Amino acid sequence: RFTLKELEARLSPNHFFRTHRCYIVNIKHMRELVPYFNGTYSIIVDDQEKSEVPVSRIQSRKLKNYLGL
């Protein structure tokens, strides 16, 4: 058992991104980045359920820089 912070430290920053205090996403499985409101986004993940993962405002800025947007 790890905290999310410990898990984040073990994962490769080239493949994984912390989108919210409760979520880490594998960027290679990101299907779509959808604008939400107040500068936040949602990520649609490429899985059977097309899961939606929230991206916080602070992490939205970091993710856009990471993706070169």
Side-chain angles (χ1 to χ4, degrees):
R1 294 182 59 131
F2 301 103
T3 65
L4 216 51
K5 188 173 185 171
E6 292 169 336
L7 182 60
E8 181 183 20
R10 290 173 166 240
L11 296 171
S12 169
N14 296 328
H15 300 290
F16 293 90
F17 186 82
R18 181 107 182 233
T19 63
H20 194 274
R21 67 184 182 125
C22 300
Y23 299 95
I24 296 176
V25 172
N26 184 336
I27 295 298
K28 291 189 173 205
H29 292 281
M30 188 172 101
R31 179 182 173 101
E32 191 175 347
L33 183 63
V34 180
Y36 202 50
F37 69 96
N38 288 336
T40 63
Y41 288 87
S42 286
I43 292 176
I44 307 298
V45 182
D46 190 17
D47 63 1
Q48 289 181 346
E49 295 83 27
K50 303 294 183 236
S51 302
E52 203 169 322
V53 180
V55 183
S56 70
R57 276 184 284 163
I58 292 171
Q59 293 303 90
S60 290
R61 291 183 210 117
K62 292 178 184 177
L63 180 62
K64 285 178 17 182
N65 285 336
Y66 179 86
L67 297 174
L69 301 175

